[in-house]
Amino acid sequence: MRKYIFKRALLVLPMLFAVSFIIFFMLRLNGTDAAMSFLNASGIAPTDEALAVAKTQLGLDKPLLEQYYLWLKNVAKFNLGVSYITGRQITPDIIYYFSNSLKLIALALCFTLGLSLPLGVLSAVFKDKFIDYLIRFFSFLGVCTPNFWLGFLLISLFSVKLGWLPPFGSGGISHLLMPAFAISFMSIAISARLIRANMLENMHARHVGYAKMRGIKGARLVLSHILRNALLPVVTAIGMHFGELVGAAIVVENVFAYPGTGSFIVSAIINNDYPVILAFMLLMAVIFILSNLIIDLCYVWIDPRIRLGYK
């Protein structure tokens, strides 16, 4: 087991290095002049002299490989550069905005796990009954509904008509409920369908038949012998959902005027704020890589075959 964990953890740094290399050169070679963007953001006329000074100031007069090396050296020190728009260091800003988004994503993940598990189990246990059809219809809606449109519907119902929840801004848990549910709705639907499909497949497995012969039935049979063996594909899906929730939060945060990474990165994209875009893309890569590493470690805990295979 330790060997397996070590091998998986050892791949993280090379993957981060490769992803950072690709991201850096994609942004540098996309045909847009970063010095011109800097001058436009600063309100300076883009004369030849001003462009030359800006390139020297930003280090854009150096070869690309040297630029990448200097940027990577700063990133290793948790220095992500300076924003063209605000003139401030990016690291404190991205920590502030992402910490706000993390609250939203954590609640959305709780919704995903807390609702998809019981819905999937009920749909499988009561296959082809009314509750199964109802849950499957809910899953169909979840897959088809855009999260930003759902956000507007939630504001219209719970804020405008009922007045139960605040429509915009940040604060307590009441400000998080609607955007978190809008973010997680599609993930809930997909996970519920996946749990149902895997449970139905495991219900006819040989080990379940042996458990029934030993007199095991009811909730113990469903939870210990069917659900646990159906969780491996679901764990993979949850790991991917975490990345999807981060991406969905970018759009939904703007709908609810929530001060997270959504408004931060959209403003950076509109203004061609390359240091901020680069920092955000690197952050997304780190999130996806680490979430996949955590999922691999969860496999070891759930499936004893992996542990035995590395002993």
Side-chain angles (χ1 to χ4, degrees):
M1 180 176 172
R2 290 180 181 177
K3 183 180 177 182
Y4 176 80
I5 294 173
F6 178 75
K7 285 183 67 177
R8 297 301 300 164
L10 204 61
L11 293 173
V12 171
L13 284 179
M15 289 176 67
L16 283 176
F17 176 77
V19 169
S20 68
F21 184 86
I22 293 170
I23 291 171
F24 184 88
F25 280 89
M26 282 179 64
L27 285 177
R28 281 289 186 266
L29 301 174
N30 70 348
T32 307
D33 191 343
M36 181 72 75
S37 301
F38 173 74
L39 291 177
N40 290 334
S42 303
I44 301 173
T47 62
D48 292 338
E49 294 79 5
L51 280 171
V53 171
K55 287 182 178 180
T56 304
Q57 182 180 345
L58 300 173
L60 300 175
D61 56 335
K62 298 179 174 63
L64 277 177
L65 284 175
E66 186 178 350
Q67 292 180 42
Y68 173 70
Y69 169 75
L70 294 173
W71 174 77
L72 195 63
K73 187 177 178 182
N74 287 327
V75 168
K77 300 175 183 177
F78 298 99
N79 178 12
L80 298 174
V82 177
S83 169
Y84 291 171
I85 306 302
T86 64
R88 297 196 303 264
Q89 286 288 328
I90 296 171
T91 305
D93 283 349
I94 210 165
I95 289 173
Y96 168 76
Y97 286 113
F98 186 68
S99 62
N100 286 339
S101 293
L102 204 57
K103 299 174 187 175
L104 200 59
I105 295 163
L107 184 57
L109 193 60
C110 290
F111 280 150
T112 301
L113 295 172
L115 294 176
S116 64
L117 274 172
L119 289 175
V121 170
L122 287 172
S123 185
V125 171
F126 297 100
K127 181 178 179 290
D128 294 333
K129 301 292 193 333
F130 173 75
I131 190 170
D132 180 32
Y133 289 122
L134 189 63
I135 292 172
R136 287 161 66 184
F137 177 71
F138 168 82
S139 299
F140 175 77
L141 285 180
V143 173
C144 298
T145 305
N147 47 39
F148 65 89
W149 185 69
L150 178 61
F152 287 122
L153 290 181
L154 292 174
I155 291 173
S156 176
L157 176 61
F158 292 104
S159 298
V160 177
K161 292 185 178 179
L162 299 177
W164 290 354
L165 296 171
F168 307 116
S170 62
I173 188 70
S174 59
H175 289 84
L176 300 175
L177 290 174
M178 289 194 296
F181 184 76
I183 290 170
S184 62
F185 191 49
M186 183 179 292
S187 297
I188 293 169
I190 294 172
S191 295
R193 293 177 64 178
L194 188 60
I195 291 168
R196 177 187 184 274
N198 282 282
M199 284 193 63
L200 290 176
E201 182 180 345
N202 278 272
M203 280 180 179
H204 304 289
R206 187 176 299 174
H207 69 276
V208 176
Y210 292 153
K212 290 178 179 177
M213 293 170 61
R214 298 201 311 270
I216 300 174
K217 55 185 179 180
R220 185 183 172 192
L221 178 69
V222 171
L223 297 177
S224 300
H225 296 271
I226 299 176
L227 179 60
R228 180 165 184 174
N229 287 281
L231 280 180
L232 275 178
V234 178
V235 168
T236 304
I238 294 298
M240 297 304 296
H241 285 327
F242 185 79
E244 292 171 6
L245 295 174
V246 175
I250 296 173
V251 178
V252 173
E253 284 173 356
N254 284 279
V255 172
F256 289 90
Y258 184 80
T261 50
S263 57
F264 186 54
I265 191 59
V266 167
S267 173
I269 292 171
I270 292 172
N271 294 285
N272 288 326
D273 197 344
Y274 281 96
V276 173
I277 298 171
L278 190 57
F280 179 78
M281 292 178 69
L282 183 64
L283 177 64
M284 293 300 100
V286 170
I287 289 171
F288 272 95
I289 290 172
L290 291 182
S291 63
N292 279 280
L293 175 63
I294 293 170
I295 293 307
D296 287 341
L297 299 184
C298 289
Y299 277 174
V300 179
W301 175 70
I302 293 173
D303 193 344
R305 292 172 297 181
I306 297 176
R307 294 196 297 269
L308 294 173
Y310 277 88
K311 281 187 179 180

